[in-house]
Amino acid sequence: MIEINHFPYGMNDPYIKINGCERAPDDPLEREKVLIEFSVNAGGAGERAWIEFPDSSKKDIRAQFQYSRDGKAYWRATFVNGQAGEKIKYRICAGQGKKSATKSGIFEYTVKKWKNVDINSLDSLFNFNEDFKKELLKPQVLTDGKNIFSVKLALKKDVDESFYGFGEHYESLKAGENDKRYLWVFDQYKVQRKRGYAPVPFFFSKKGKGIFIDTGYMLEIEIVKDRVDIHINTQGDIWEKTNLHYWNEKNPVDIIKRMQSISSPCNPPSWAFGPWLSANEWNSQEKIERVLKIIKDLDLPSSVIVIEAWTDEQTYYIFNGAEYEPGKGDKFFKLEDFKFKYPWPDPKGMIEKLSSEGIKLVLWNIPILKKEKLEECEQLKNDKKYASEKNFSIKNDEGDFEIPEGRWFEGSYVVDFFNKRAREWWIEKRKYLDDLGISGFKTDGGEHLYFRDTRGKNISQAKMKNLYPEKYFESAKKILSDDSLLFSRSGYTRSPSNSLFWVGDEDSDFDALRANITAGLNVSISGNPFWGWDIAGFSGELPSVDLYIRSLQIALFTPIFQWHSETSGDPEPSAERSPWNIEKYWNKRGIVDYYRKIVSLRMAMMPYIEKEVKYALDNKIPLTVPIEIITEQNDENLAYLFGRDILVVPFVSEEIKNVEIQFPDGEWIDLRTGDIFREGETTKASLEKFIPVYLRKGADIPISLPNSKNMLDTQWHPYHNAWLHCRMREEILDEGFETGHLTKDLNELGFLKVKWRN
């Protein structure tokens, strides 16, 4: 039997095409040539194909054969649209002739056109201030003559003006002339470049302009010589009035404050800023307890362990190996309903053992109902049936939406978090995990939605794709008690109100290191201040020693300090990015000792980090601020402030050993040399044993100092008991402080010995 494949809108995604089977353009305009591409999966001698127009006087259009591949013949045909408002219906026919032809269903669209509108008419489309009108050039609306759909705005810009923000992107901090990007939540596995898991429809310039378009619709932004073109694409939805914020401030940080007041970041528990440990191969309680023994034996202070491979890989809320009596889809399990067995014989006991050492447990989670395997899980089958009947999963025209082939978790249903009852059902399924004593979820995924006919409760795919992570995190947070957190990969404008963030999957090489730090800083200046990345990368071959050491140095001054690895099961050699595994793999002694010093410094810095987190939240500023946006510096060496008083030059390249930086306001002490630099001065920062770090002169930095007075000695439970007074030696003596060396051997890391007092 002949099968015809044609997807007019493709996957409704700017980054993915269904080659040879789409319509171009997907939303055809007045008098525009339309290309129809399709495939037929059963060809033969004498086969032909054509386009029919039911209920129309249009003549049939013969299709032209293109090529055959994998048992499919690919065809194309073209025709020209009429005027806006015309309804076009067509179907595709294939066979040896009209009597024997197979016909597709009917595809339909309404012809539209772009229409120039008066700037004052935008009052009916947007809520915005009058100052914005002064920046606009020739707005346009997409209309069928009756309704308005998408909107195009052109914003004035100076010829030399660049922009920052846009949420997560990986190539650079700034966007300049000829830069084009989409603000669209997308799962790009590695090498993301301009594609982001967590975009934000917000951007600003150093000249004081800031724009935030508060919508879930996809934005297409293109920067040209004298303007910024903004296309707000409703993807066929009728336009809904939208809030548009235009800010004009004295400096970029004040614009970021405006954005962060909207994103409203959560206040993480203090333990979130200690060292995190994670590896996808940790698939048993035995392995977790082995890791705990290793870090205790090696005296490696740690705050968090993340377990990804804990579930049955079916329901994604039941521990692997647990015995239980399956129930209907509306059954909510309690802890006593399970008899835990290998590989997780006693999760509660394991959590209590970790807790006794001051270590919190975070479990991985995903918002899907998985496609059943052949060895079908009865509980999953019941859950899916119930979710389908109650409309708790995302829908499309055929029923339950399934993640398309070739995408992560293909064939699975996706939970509809726009449906209040679906949210409550999903939460209750996992509520027993809070009773176990877990401290958070690694809320992975959230980028699973495709196709134009996909919809949640009272929301279309046009808005849902971007807004889905916000609803997902809002739901997951309700499972947990107060002193807990979420750690998430996807995101959008208001995601920070419920979750911390990591910048996604990347390789273990220097190119990926640069991409990760760039993405983290971009997220930070877009209203999401608490970010991390997988130290030294999580994918591919184990990182080189140089990459591992450099990554640890940078992570010391990153909001979330976390290492993780991709490979599951029992790989040989192990894929762990743990210091003991890196040392073993490269047969290079000293890596564990070096790591111990880094995490000891991290623990010593905890009082400073907690103080700066509070300041960042109270004053609505990032915890990490790239100095490029607050100085006249134009090159992108990614130097940034970590809090107010520490300036970091990360050196994310394998080859570059010197970069020029310009100092922000204040005076800065080079920790390696004691040299002092003033605001506006430039210097050649060099990479030696440690990345360059500068302290603000005159700052009083709270620290946690071990009894040995050596910041490199370990402590598992830091508390504020000392200060770093960032002054010259004679100034400290003049003030009558008790003085002494902070450390016996910090110089081996390249640090200057700084004085202290109790």
Side-chain angles (χ1 to χ4, degrees):
M1 180 178 177
I2 292 177
E3 180 179 306
I4 297 169
N5 301 291
H6 176 56
F7 305 92
Y9 302 101
M11 289 178 70
N12 204 45
D13 196 291
Y15 302 129
I16 307 175
K17 297 296 180 187
I18 302 177
N19 292 329
C21 291
E22 296 189 10
R23 182 173 68 214
D26 52 7
D27 281 313
L29 300 178
E30 184 176 77
R31 306 293 183 191
E32 189 170 34
K33 180 181 283 189
V34 181
L35 170 65
I36 306 295
E37 293 188 314
F38 59 96
S39 70
V40 178
N41 75 339
E47 184 177 271
R48 55 191 292 257
W50 63 97
I51 309 295
E52 287 184 352
F53 298 91
D55 308 321
S56 170
S57 59
K58 281 180 180 286
K59 292 184 178 180
D60 295 351
I61 304 289
R62 290 199 301 163
Q64 182 187 62
F65 170 76
Q66 300 299 301
Y67 59 91
S68 292
R69 186 178 62 204
D70 299 329
K72 293 182 180 180
Y74 288 83
W75 300 77
R76 60 169 48 184
T78 61
F79 58 87
V80 177
N81 275 331
Q83 294 181 329
E86 179 185 8
K87 291 189 183 298
I88 303 292
K89 294 181 180 180
Y90 66 91
R91 65 183 168 214
I92 299 166
C93 308
Q96 291 191 344
K98 291 192 175 184
K99 290 183 179 180
S100 60
T102 295
K103 298 184 178 182
S104 72
I106 293 176
F107 303 96
E108 182 177 354
Y109 65 88
T110 301
V111 179
K112 303 179 181 71
K113 67 177 180 179
W114 285 104
K115 177 182 176 183
N116 293 332
V117 294
D118 183 81
I119 288 175
N120 291 321
S121 70
L122 294 180
D123 291 335
S124 63
L125 303 177
F126 295 99
N127 297 311
F128 61 102
N129 57 27
E130 290 296 312
D131 289 342
F132 184 65
K133 289 183 179 180
K134 299 173 186 176
E135 302 293 327
L136 282 175
L137 300 164
K138 296 181 180 177
Q140 294 181 300
V141 298
L142 184 66
T143 180
D144 60 1
K146 180 180 178 182
N147 295 306
I148 290 174
F149 297 87
S150 301
V151 175
K152 286 183 178 179
L153 305 173
L155 175 71
K156 297 175 187 175
K157 69 173 279 288
D158 295 340
V159 172
D160 62 344
E161 191 172 14
S162 298
F163 292 87
Y164 301 83
F166 305 103
E168 184 183 48
H169 52 105
Y170 292 72
E171 287 191 322
S172 63
L173 292 178
K174 67 184 173 186
E177 190 173 328
N178 299 320
D179 201 325
K180 181 178 180 179
R181 62 190 64 227
Y182 297 94
L183 301 185
W184 192 239
V185 170
F186 188 75
D187 174 11
Q188 176 61 51
Y189 176 64
K190 305 194 292 190
V191 196
Q192 294 90 352
R193 299 191 177 121
K194 294 178 183 177
R195 304 178 182 187
Y197 303 97
V200 179
F202 160 71
F203 58 97
F204 62 91
S205 78
K206 288 186 185 180
K207 296 180 183 289
K209 296 176 185 174
I211 293 176
F212 166 53
I213 302 172
D214 195 359
T215 181
Y217 293 137
M218 181 176 72
L219 267 67
E220 181 183 340
I221 309 251
E222 186 168 12
I223 301 170
V224 293
K225 186 175 182 180
D226 59 353
R227 70 182 192 276
V228 180
D229 291 333
I230 305 168
H231 178 190
I232 308 170
N233 188 346
T234 70
Q235 298 179 317
D237 280 6
I238 295 174
W239 181 267
E240 294 180 3
K241 195 166 187 178
T242 298
N243 292 328
L244 189 154
H245 301 264
Y246 173 75
W247 301 305
N248 202 330
E249 301 288 355
K250 292 181 180 179
N251 62 69
V253 174
D254 286 338
I255 296 173
I256 296 171
K257 287 181 180 180
R258 297 275 203 157
M259 188 63 238
Q260 198 156 305
S261 68
I262 292 171
S263 64
S264 190
C266 59
N267 186 4
S270 60
W271 53 263
F273 301 101
W276 291 44
L277 287 60
S278 178
N280 201 20
E281 62 196 77
W282 295 347
N283 56 8
S284 70
Q285 183 171 336
E286 179 185 8
K287 288 184 178 180
I288 295 298
E289 292 180 351
R290 184 190 310 151
V291 169
L292 178 60
K293 183 178 188 305
I294 290 171
I295 61 177
K296 292 299 294 181
D297 289 348
L298 297 177
D299 200 14
L300 305 177
S302 307
S303 295
V304 181
I305 284 180
V306 180
I307 306 178
E308 291 207 354
W310 65 277
T311 76
D312 56 6
E313 300 289 327
Q314 292 283 289
T315 65
Y316 286 106
Y317 62 84
I318 296 174
F319 273 85
N320 191 23
E323 293 182 355
Y324 60 95
E325 187 66 35
K328 293 182 179 179
D330 59 354
K331 178 172 182 176
F332 304 129
F333 290 95
K334 292 182 169 49
L335 193 56
E336 55 267 26
D337 293 330
F338 298 107
K339 184 176 182 180
F340 295 106
K341 292 196 171 184
Y342 180 85
W344 304 98
D346 184 13
K348 191 172 182 64
M350 176 186 67
I351 292 169
E352 289 171 350
K353 185 179 293 187
L354 292 171
S355 181
S356 70
E357 301 293 348
I359 298 175
K360 306 292 185 178
L361 182 67
V362 170
L363 295 180
W364 182 86
N365 221 313
I366 194 79
I368 57 103
L369 295 163
K370 191 178 180 182
K371 181 179 182 180
E372 300 102 303
K373 295 180 180 178
L374 291 176
E375 59 276 18
E376 196 170 90
C377 168
E378 185 176 347
Q379 190 59 53
L380 171 61
K381 181 180 178 182
N382 294 346
D383 287 348
K384 289 187 71 174
K385 182 174 184 292
Y386 184 79
S388 177
E389 291 171 349
K390 297 295 182 180
N391 296 318
F392 287 174
S393 62
I394 298 294
K395 300 294 183 180
N396 60 21
D397 289 346
E398 296 179 357
D400 295 292
F401 164 76
E402 296 182 2
I403 297 172
E405 184 179 352
R407 303 307 297 176
W408 194 31
F409 284 110
E410 63 180 48
S412 299
Y413 294 178
V414 179
V415 178
D416 182 4
F417 292 113
F418 298 94
N419 182 331
K420 182 175 182 291
R421 291 181 60 219
R423 291 198 302 270
E424 293 169 347
W425 174 78
W426 187 82
I427 289 167
E428 288 300 320
K429 287 283 185 182
R430 289 154 178 78
K431 200 67 178 174
Y432 83 94
L433 295 169
D434 187 51
D435 298 334
L436 268 176
I438 68 167
S439 294
F441 286 117
K442 184 173 183 179
T443 32
D444 208 350
E447 317 96 343
H448 307 288
L449 304 176
Y450 305 91
F451 300 111
R452 186 167 291 202
D453 66 344
T454 306
R455 56 188 177 273
K457 188 173 178 63
N458 300 320
I459 189 168
S460 71
Q461 198 264 0
K463 284 187 175 181
M464 179 174 61
K465 174 83 166 174
N466 280 339
L467 298 180
Y468 188 84
E470 296 180 352
K471 287 294 185 184
Y472 169 28
F473 306 151
E474 178 187 318
S475 304
K477 194 71 171 69
K478 290 179 179 177
I479 299 170
L480 301 166
S481 52
D482 290 339
D483 187 37
S484 61
L485 55 74
L486 303 180
F487 191 45
S488 308
R489 183 180 73 175
S490 61
Y492 199 58
T493 300
R494 292 173 176 82
S495 301
S497 64
N498 287 301
S499 183
L500 311 184
F501 182 73
W502 95 94
V503 297
D505 301 340
E506 259 299 2
D507 287 314
S508 290
D509 61 35
F510 274 93
D511 286 344
L513 172 63
R514 180 179 185 88
N516 277 330
I517 303 306
T518 301
L521 292 174
N522 281 326
V523 163
S524 184
I525 61 177
S526 300
N528 195 349
F530 306 126
W531 61 277
W533 93 104
D534 297 331
I535 291 172
F538 98 129
S539 183
E541 295 178 348
L542 285 164
S544 68
V545 173
D546 286 346
L547 175 61
Y548 194 72
I549 295 299
R550 186 87 54 85
S551 296
L552 289 174
Q553 293 173 0
I554 298 169
L556 178 58
F557 306 104
T558 301
I560 306 299
F561 183 108
Q562 182 236 195
W563 47 263
H564 177 53
S565 54
E566 177 180 32
T567 309
S568 60
D570 298 287
E572 187 59 44
S574 168
E576 279 182 19
R577 269 55 174 170
S578 63
W580 56 89
N581 191 51
I582 299 295
E583 181 171 285
K584 176 184 176 183
Y585 180 80
W586 292 108
N587 192 27
K588 187 174 179 64
R589 295 184 62 182
I591 292 175
V592 169
D593 290 340
Y594 191 89
Y595 176 86
R596 183 186 303 109
K597 292 171 184 176
I598 290 291
V599 291
S600 296
L601 280 172
R602 180 73 176 196
M603 289 300 202
M605 290 171 57
M606 288 286 277
Y608 170 74
I609 295 172
E610 290 175 41
K611 179 170 79 82
E612 293 305 301
V613 165
K614 184 178 187 307
Y615 184 86
L617 290 173
D618 289 347
N619 293 275
K620 298 178 172 57
I621 62 172
L623 188 59
T624 49
V625 178
I627 64 171
E628 179 175 336
I629 70 168
I630 56 175
T631 68
E632 295 304 312
Q633 184 164 300
N634 289 317
D635 58 325
E636 294 185 348
N637 57 47
L638 302 182
Y640 62 91
L641 291 173
F642 182 55
R644 289 166 289 170
D645 300 325
I646 300 178
L647 173 58
V648 182
V649 186
F651 275 91
V652 293
S653 169
E654 188 172 16
E655 296 83 16
I656 297 173
K657 306 300 180 185
N658 294 279
V659 298
E660 186 172 86
I661 65 164
Q662 184 181 63
F663 289 90
D665 65 294
E667 295 181 287
W668 297 89
I669 304 173
D670 187 330
L671 278 177
R672 292 183 296 199
T673 66
D675 293 339
I676 296 177
F677 301 92
R678 292 169 177 81
E679 177 183 355
E681 285 189 56
T682 59
T683 189
K684 282 279 188 183
S686 61
L687 177 66
E688 296 176 16
K689 291 184 177 180
F690 203 91
I691 58 175
V693 178
Y694 304 85
L695 296 185
R696 186 185 296 277
K697 187 174 182 290
D700 295 318
I701 297 179
I703 60 170
S704 179
L705 199 61
N707 293 333
S708 65
K709 308 300 188 290
N710 183 349
M711 285 179 72
L712 297 183
D713 285 348
T714 58
Q715 52 181 330
W716 285 70
H717 307 288
Y719 60 96
H720 178 203
N721 62 359
W723 297 87
L724 289 183
H725 296 286
C726 302
R727 297 165 175 81
M728 303 309 291
R729 183 174 182 275
E730 57 273 14
E731 294 176 303
I732 295 177
L733 293 174
D734 288 345
E735 294 181 24
F737 293 168
E738 180 184 353
T739 63
H741 291 308
L742 277 170
T743 174
K744 299 170 185 175
D745 55 359
L746 267 175
N747 275 339
E748 73 181 46
L749 297 177
F751 277 86
L752 176 73
K753 294 176 181 176
V754 183
K755 303 298 180 177
W756 68 279
R757 73 168 184 179
N758 287 327

